[in-house]
Amino acid sequence: MVAGIAASVVTFAILDGLLFRPLPYANPGQLVWIGQAGSPLVARVPISALDSIADRHAPLSSFGAYEATSATYHVRIEYTRAGLARVTGEFFRTLGVKPEIGRTITANDDRIGATRLVVISDSLWRSGFGRRPNAVGSFMAIDGQPFEIIGVMPASFRFPDGTAAWVSVDATLGPLLRSTDAPLLEVIGRLRSSASIGAVTAAIRTVKYPPDPASGMTGRLMVETLVDHVSLHLRTAVELLGLAAAFLLIVACFALSTVQLAELTEKRRDLAIRAALGATNRDLVRVSLAESAVLALSAGVIGLAVSYAAISLLSRVGTQRVPELGSIGLDTSIVLYAVAVTALTAAAGGLVPLFLAHRDEVASVLNGTGASASPGRTSTRTRDTLLGASVAVTLVLLVGAGVLAQSVLEIEHTNIGFDPAGVASAQVRLPFPVVVPPTAARIRTYVSVLLQNLQNSSGVRAAAVSTDVPGQGNKIISMAEPDRAAGAQQQLPVGLSQIGGAYFQALRIPILAGRAFLPSDNADAAPVVICDEDAAKLLFGGANPVGQTLHLHDPDLIATVVGVSGTVRQTGRMADRRPQIYAPFDQLPLASFVLLARGNGSYPPLAHAIAAAAGRADATAPVFAERPLDEVVYGELSRPAFYATTLLIFAAVAIAISAMGIYAASTALVSQRYREIAIRLALGATGRHIAEVVGVRLAAAVLIGVLLGWVMIFVGNRLFAAWFYGASSATVGACILGAGVVFLAAALAVLSPLHRAARVQPMTVLRT
């Protein structure tokens, strides 16, 4: 019971901290998020759609938009890279938040040509200005441009997540807003008091803008509450943990009911005598509830203490895998929930078995002889039902945990086409005003010096750059392929990565045909590309692609294929494969890229070498997001791995609790049938025969529970397939394995009572 209450309280604390607790904004239930519909990659909308939204925003009292990006901050003498949000003038008013000091950006500030103003976060105020109030009114540089600080937001405000400062969209982007390079924005709105989200959906549905399949633009908008949008990546997983905790609590209640029923069956004669002497049902209920309440209260106190320790541990350690766990804690609502769960457990453990057991006729008990009085059919059926239900729920929990753990292991052991172990990665972005990007020549010079510095560093075997993390690129381009049969053109979406340095060597991606890029494949040379194996099959079928030409769109480029590389899988759901094309970084340079370095030893020396090489190349372009590449690639597995570990712990505890219930039931069964066992032994029955007679009923209850659990699992098989990678092929095996574990636990639980039954002394029992 302690485990059930503790697991339930911890899970409720997670649910409360991540899903139920309102956002730190005024009337958060009125806030909605408006984004692009039908696109898994691009949720933002073009600036051109804002005017259409404004024309149809009658259900909204206000709306604002934002773009989450990053920037280089120059505070005092240090350069740092952190999150930046470009916001419209109504952004802060729509959210209903006020600054800790100073003021926020308003509609008057959000104009092309207006003074560049910035509102900074509490963390930047602490680290860069020592929380000095005179920071407001001072200036700081963002991407090389001066901004006046006009306010500081409270520590509780972190929207969008990871933002260090907020600036005006119009004042910072200026003429760029009218170009095809204008950024995409996410929109938030506040409902009028009389409006509903359905009214907003109906109004927004008529907003249309040109779709662009190549860039993921669908031309349609969707609306959802801001709470749902913020917690979208957590909701389903946390709800799963809540369901698992509920299952564990149910198992604990079943086990407690089984124990209580066993004790009540032992005291049936005492209860019958009390009833015959005039004791009312209320008297019997009072006694049973008192005993159950003492057990539940003790379990509740211990469970709450265990919960506090677990929550404290999660808030410190679990944040490495699930950062949002840092916001959970034990407060009044969670304590009240623990009290409610304890009371419910006490009622379930005390009332249910008493109600069912007391339905046996009093006379049928009093006609028996002492402890030999057999339990009534109702009590026996109730015990078997409780055992079967406990086993079924335990099996569902165990199989769910096993399937999720299997999915994580399958992903970890899937060949992703490259070797991230021993590689350090970092993000680099040359600081520049948005409206004046650096020239291609400056980018090439910087990258050349950076790679040379890094390659010459001690312990670095291979250095490279790429426009995205291997296996996680979202850049989709369209390309035309000549239809060899009809001579027509068709658009084929493929991925594009610009790479430089010893990219294939650093990641150990094999070159299957042709060659890798050479230093001579520079800006002055003819455009060349390398196709991965999937792209080669898609574009050229069985023909040799080396020497063929490809016509790429965005960028518009006709390039010659010089090689074929191994296929790199998209990390995450590892079945995803996307044809990929690589172009030399020198021929298509970008100011933002990923720096990669393979070394001979551990990660810290590589990280130091990357920072030092970047500092020597350009001190104003600090590296950021430095991490081992295997952590980046498998980073999204940290959440499923955490959930799988938690479910496995829940399942192990559920098995232990079920085993305790089976032990209690078997002990009571042996005690109830002492005289029958003694008579059988006196007539020549062996200990093995007695064990079979006593254990067959418990085995039947466990078997029925396993069958019921299988039915529950297969009925919910679609849910398993939606939740777990490879679940459709793993469920049968997991069911069989789970049933084996349950039978083993049941066998161990009844071993001691059956051994005691086989050693009954007939003469001693029959004399009593």
Side-chain angles (χ1 to χ4, degrees):
M1 189 190 301
V2 171
I5 292 175
S8 178
V9 171
V10 170
T11 305
F12 179 79
I14 296 175
L15 287 167
D16 179 66
L18 303 186
L19 299 183
F20 300 153
R21 190 171 297 170
L23 297 174
Y25 315 135
N27 300 317
Q30 296 179 346
L31 294 172
V32 297
W33 176 87
I34 302 173
Q36 188 171 198
S39 175
L41 296 178
V42 182
R44 297 170 293 173
V45 301
I47 288 179
S48 58
L50 293 185
D51 292 337
S52 298
I53 295 175
D55 293 338
R56 297 166 177 82
H57 87 295
L60 301 174
S61 60
S62 64
F63 79 95
Y66 64 94
E67 178 201 16
T69 181
S70 63
T72 299
Y73 296 90
H74 184 194
V75 182
R76 301 182 193 173
I77 61 172
E78 294 185 358
Y79 290 89
T80 58
R81 190 82 188 176
L84 175 72
R86 299 189 183 100
V87 302
T88 61
E90 295 293 308
F91 175 81
F92 291 103
R93 188 173 79 88
T94 298
L95 289 175
V97 293
K98 298 183 181 299
E100 185 167 342
I101 59 174
R103 67 178 183 89
T104 60
I105 293 171
T106 65
N108 290 331
D109 304 317
D110 188 33
R111 294 176 291 105
I112 296 177
T115 303
R116 289 188 290 267
L117 306 174
V118 60
V119 178
I120 63 175
S121 66
D122 180 80
S123 61
L124 183 57
W125 187 34
R126 289 197 315 268
S127 61
F129 301 92
R131 292 183 63 88
R132 295 192 306 273
N134 61 2
V136 174
S138 63
F139 286 79
M140 63 180 294
I142 302 177
D143 281 340
Q145 290 188 310
F147 282 77
E148 181 185 355
I149 300 173
I150 61 171
V152 178
M153 298 306 294
S156 60
F157 185 76
R158 299 185 297 270
F159 185 79
D161 191 41
T163 299
W166 295 262
V167 298
S168 161
V169 170
D170 284 12
T172 55
L173 299 182
L176 186 62
L177 295 173
R178 305 187 187 94
S179 71
T180 56
D181 295 326
L184 303 176
L185 304 178
E186 297 183 64
V187 181
I188 53 172
R190 179 172 292 277
L191 293 172
R192 297 185 186 277
S193 57
S194 59
S196 66
I197 192 170
V200 181
T201 302
I204 294 301
R205 190 177 293 131
T206 61
V207 175
K208 302 292 182 182
Y209 53 91
D212 182 7
S215 61
M217 305 299 293
T218 63
R220 295 177 289 108
L221 298 179
M222 62 174 289
V223 182
E224 62 184 5
T225 66
L226 185 61
V227 173
D228 287 344
H229 175 69
V230 171
S231 61
L232 180 63
H233 66 294
L234 295 171
R235 178 170 296 276
T236 310
V238 175
E239 287 175 351
L240 174 68
L241 291 183
L243 181 63
F247 275 14
L248 184 57
L249 188 61
I250 290 171
V251 171
C253 288
F254 283 158
L256 177 62
S257 297
T258 303
V259 173
Q260 292 287 84
L261 182 61
E263 293 180 355
L264 285 171
T265 306
E266 288 289 317
K267 296 185 293 183
R268 289 173 69 252
R269 187 172 180 81
D270 176 64
L271 291 173
I273 293 174
R274 289 183 181 221
L277 293 177
T280 64
N281 287 339
R282 180 178 298 179
D283 296 329
L284 299 179
V285 168
R286 187 183 301 115
V287 172
S288 179
L289 276 181
E291 294 179 354
S292 180
V294 170
L295 287 175
L297 181 61
S298 302
V301 172
I302 299 174
L304 192 59
V306 173
S307 302
Y308 176 77
I311 290 172
S312 300
L313 182 64
L314 280 176
S315 62
R316 294 195 307 269
V317 179
T319 52
Q320 298 176 0
R321 293 183 177 268
V322 185
E324 294 84 358
L325 290 177
S327 64
I328 68 173
L330 196 64
D331 56 19
T332 305
S333 62
I334 297 173
V335 173
L336 292 176
Y337 173 81
V339 172
V341 168
T342 301
L344 180 63
T345 305
L351 291 179
V352 175
L354 178 62
F355 171 75
L356 295 173
H358 192 61
R359 290 173 57 187
D360 296 329
E361 294 293 335
V362 172
S364 67
V365 179
L366 295 178
N367 287 336
T369 307
S372 66
S374 300
R377 291 182 178 179
T378 302
S379 298
T380 302
R381 286 197 301 267
T382 302
R383 180 199 63 210
D384 293 345
T385 300
L386 290 172
L387 284 180
S390 175
V391 168
V393 175
T394 298
L395 182 60
V396 171
L397 189 57
L398 180 61
V399 170
V403 171
L404 182 55
Q406 181 184 10
S407 71
V408 173
L409 291 176
E410 284 184 0
I411 294 176
E412 287 182 341
H413 291 87
T414 298
N415 180 13
I416 59 176
F418 66 99
D419 181 14
V423 178
S425 68
Q427 301 281 341
V428 182
R429 184 176 187 270
L430 286 175
F432 61 88
V434 178
V435 294
V436 187
T439 63
R442 183 194 170 194
I443 297 174
R444 293 188 188 101
T445 301
Y446 171 75
V447 170
S448 175
V449 174
L450 175 61
L451 287 176
Q452 184 176 2
N453 290 344
L454 187 56
Q455 189 67 64
N456 294 335
S457 299
S458 175
V460 175
R461 296 170 56 185
V465 295
S466 173
T467 49
D468 48 53
V469 175
Q472 295 184 5
N474 289 330
K475 172 67 174 178
I476 305 295
I477 63 170
S478 288
M479 57 178 301
E481 177 209 17
D483 188 324
R484 288 178 289 276
Q489 299 284 319
Q490 60 176 331
Q491 297 298 316
L492 299 174
V494 298
L496 173 67
S497 295
Q498 294 101 294
I499 61 174
Y503 182 83
F504 295 106
Q505 179 184 351
L507 297 179
R508 294 175 178 169
I509 300 174
I511 298 296
L512 305 178
R515 63 173 177 84
F517 293 135
L518 302 174
S520 57
D521 296 320
N522 53 34
D524 298 325
V528 294
V529 294
I530 292 175
C531 299
D532 73 0
E533 193 173 13
D534 283 358
K537 290 178 181 178
L538 175 67
L539 300 174
F540 302 102
N544 182 10
V546 177
Q548 303 277 2
T549 58
L550 292 177
H551 187 186
L552 279 62
H553 299 282
D554 187 26
D556 192 1
L557 183 70
I558 297 178
T560 302
V561 179
V562 297
V564 178
S565 71
T567 296
V568 171
R569 289 178 178 267
Q570 294 292 302
T571 54
R573 293 183 70 90
M574 292 298 182
D576 295 341
R577 299 166 69 109
R578 179 190 302 152
Q580 187 78 12
I581 292 177
Y582 302 97
F585 191 91
D586 261 10
Q587 295 185 353
L588 296 172
L590 289 177
S592 299
F593 53 87
V594 179
L595 184 60
L596 304 167
R598 175 173 291 280
N600 297 316
S602 60
Y603 168 73
L606 278 178
H608 177 75
I610 287 176
R616 292 195 300 272
D618 188 343
T620 67
V623 297
F624 60 102
E626 307 98 317
R627 291 175 62 191
L629 184 59
D630 51 1
E631 288 187 9
V632 177
V633 171
Y634 295 113
E636 62 185 52
L637 288 181
S638 60
R639 294 178 188 274
F642 171 78
Y643 300 142
T645 302
T646 303
L647 287 181
L648 285 173
I649 294 174
F650 282 8
V653 174
I655 291 173
I657 293 174
S658 294
M660 293 177 189
I662 294 173
Y663 174 82
S666 59
T667 300
L669 182 60
V670 169
S671 299
Q672 293 157 10
R673 303 182 68 172
Y674 251 24
R675 293 184 66 83
E676 178 189 343
I677 293 171
I679 293 172
R680 288 177 179 269
L681 289 173
L683 294 177
T686 63
R688 179 178 179 181
H689 176 71
I690 295 300
E692 291 175 353
V693 170
V694 175
V696 67
R697 190 170 193 100
L698 294 174
V702 173
L703 178 60
I704 291 174
V706 167
L707 295 176
L708 177 61
W710 281 355
V711 170
M712 293 170 64
I713 291 169
F714 283 106
V715 168
N717 191 47
R718 289 186 179 181
L719 178 64
F720 271 75
W723 260 102
F724 307 122
Y725 171 78
S728 57
S729 62
T731 301
V732 174
C735 283
I736 296 174
L737 181 60
V741 173
V742 168
F743 277 119
L744 178 61
L748 294 175
V750 301
L751 192 61
S752 177
L754 292 183
H755 180 69
R756 188 165 61 252
R759 301 188 62 177
V760 168
Q761 298 296 323
M763 297 305 297
T764 302
V765 174
L766 294 176
R767 285 173 183 169
T768 59

